[in-house]
Amino acid sequence: MDTRTAGNFPYPMGRKKSMTFWRGYEKDETMNDKTEQAIGVFDSGIGGLTVVRALMERLPFENIVYFGDTARVPYGVKSVETINRYALQIAEFLLKKDVKLLIVACNTMAAVACQAIRDLSPVPVLEVIGAGAASAVGATQNKIIGVIGTPATINSNAYARAISLLDHDVRIFSQACPLFVPLVEEGWFEHEATRLAALEYLKPVKAEGIDTLVLGCTHYPLIKPLIAEIVGPQVRLIDSAEAMAEEAAGLINARQLGNPSGRSPDYLFCVSDVPYRFQTIGERFLGRTLARVEMVRL
Ligand code: DGL
């Protein structure tokens, strides 16, 4: 695709009418047509609902279209090539729904495929890793930070790079936790098997004297109470969902993209495999009925 880059956000040639500057952000005039369009949020499964929950609270008038790739989860143990391909398929699906903003609510896709998604997207793309890294650097006192994530996220070093860019004095200890995503997708938030896995994964990170632990996978906040109990009250847990919602609100505000309708928002949840489990676990987590859950084929 022929694109020109405006800041971090590429625009396909021909779509852009004019650019103005508003509170330091570049604003695409065509964006104003989009104010009632939904925010597109995606993840490999139910993990991105942690970001959806924060968005619902922070931006209560915004429509949201969510995609969870329940047929192909987990992504974090797959190759970079496969994760890239899946991520681009999902981004294309959401762009066809004419979303006004894309939020990569999956650390694994953000770590591996963020640039490719940005290259494809005519609308702004936000991702969770930058938001999580900034929160962690803001929270640490002793400058020793732990990061847990999927094998793909940890192997990409994306968190270590993002944190070091913000503060190169910080020491970072990373741990891949491949069993967490399947356990969370199963809904085993407090199950003994999840506790045993967590004890095993968290022991070495805790031993490094961290005072801050980044939950570098959007599935992990669903087992936050268990993780908190194991690492103890002296370790601050960073969940990028709230920081992500804050960043989305900032961008929407700066680009005058806020939905002015004042109507109660539409929430559409799309999944790539049977929706029942997603619906049950999603409703339990979001504390509300998911009225529209659709199975789609990419
Ligand atoms: N929620 C995804 C993340 O943040 C989980 C990845 C997976 O499917 O393994 O990385």
Side-chain angles (χ1 to χ4, degrees), residues 125-271:
V125 177
L126 296 179
E127 54 81 29
V128 278
I129 292 182
S135 299
V137 169
T140 186
Q141 299 284 320
N142 71 0
K143 293 188 186 271
I144 311 178
I145 296 178
V147 179
I148 53 174
T150 67
T153 300
I154 299 303
N155 292 339
S156 75
N157 261 328
Y159 265 106
R161 270 200 310 276
I163 291 171
S164 300
L165 268 177
L166 294 168
D167 184 343
H168 51 76
D169 291 334
V170 169
R171 283 195 288 145
I172 302 151
F173 294 95
S174 304
Q175 172 72 47
C177 309
L179 290 176
F180 278 173
V181 170
L183 289 164
V184 167
E185 287 284 326
E186 199 58 36
W188 285 11
F189 304 161
E190 284 136 30
H191 195 282
E192 204 41 38
T194 315
R195 176 183 300 277
L196 283 175
L199 280 168
E200 192 69 26
Y201 288 142
L202 297 172
K203 203 171 13 172
V205 203
K206 204 179 152 191
E208 298 294 349
I210 57 165
D211 73 348
T212 304
L213 179 66
V214 180
L215 307 183
C217 171
T218 50
H219 280 71
Y220 300 175
L222 291 150
I223 51 167
K224 198 170 174 180
L226 187 67
I227 295 174
E229 194 191 309
I230 292 170
V231 294
Q234 71 285 2
V235 176
R236 176 106 180 257
L237 299 184
I238 303 295
D239 150 5
S240 47
E242 272 168 35
M244 185 74 276
E246 208 45 58
E247 206 178 315
L251 184 131
I252 281 176
N253 210 358
R255 293 190 175 212
Q256 297 171 289
L257 274 175
N259 186 353
S261 76
R263 284 192 293 274
S264 58
D266 275 343
Y267 298 132
L268 170 63
F269 297 88
C270 301
V271 289

Side-chain angles (χ1 to χ4, degrees), residues 66-130:
Y66 181 83
F67 183 88
D69 198 357
T70 50
R72 303 189 292 200
V73 66
Y75 279 20
V77 290
K78 294 185 168 66
S79 68
V80 166
E81 191 278 329
T82 301
I83 298 165
N84 250 291
R85 182 157 44 86
Y86 290 176
L88 292 178
Q89 287 170 354
I90 302 171
E92 273 171 13
F93 169 80
L94 289 171
L95 288 170
K96 277 189 200 140
K97 296 226 167 267
D98 205 18
V99 294
K100 62 182 174 186
L101 164 65
L102 272 180
I103 297 186
V104 189
C106 173
N107 292 264
T108 305
M109 285 191 262
V112 166
C114 197
Q115 194 51 51
I117 298 166
R118 286 200 164 124
D119 289 345
L120 174 88
S121 176
V123 300
V125 177
L126 296 179
E127 54 81 29
V128 278
I129 292 182

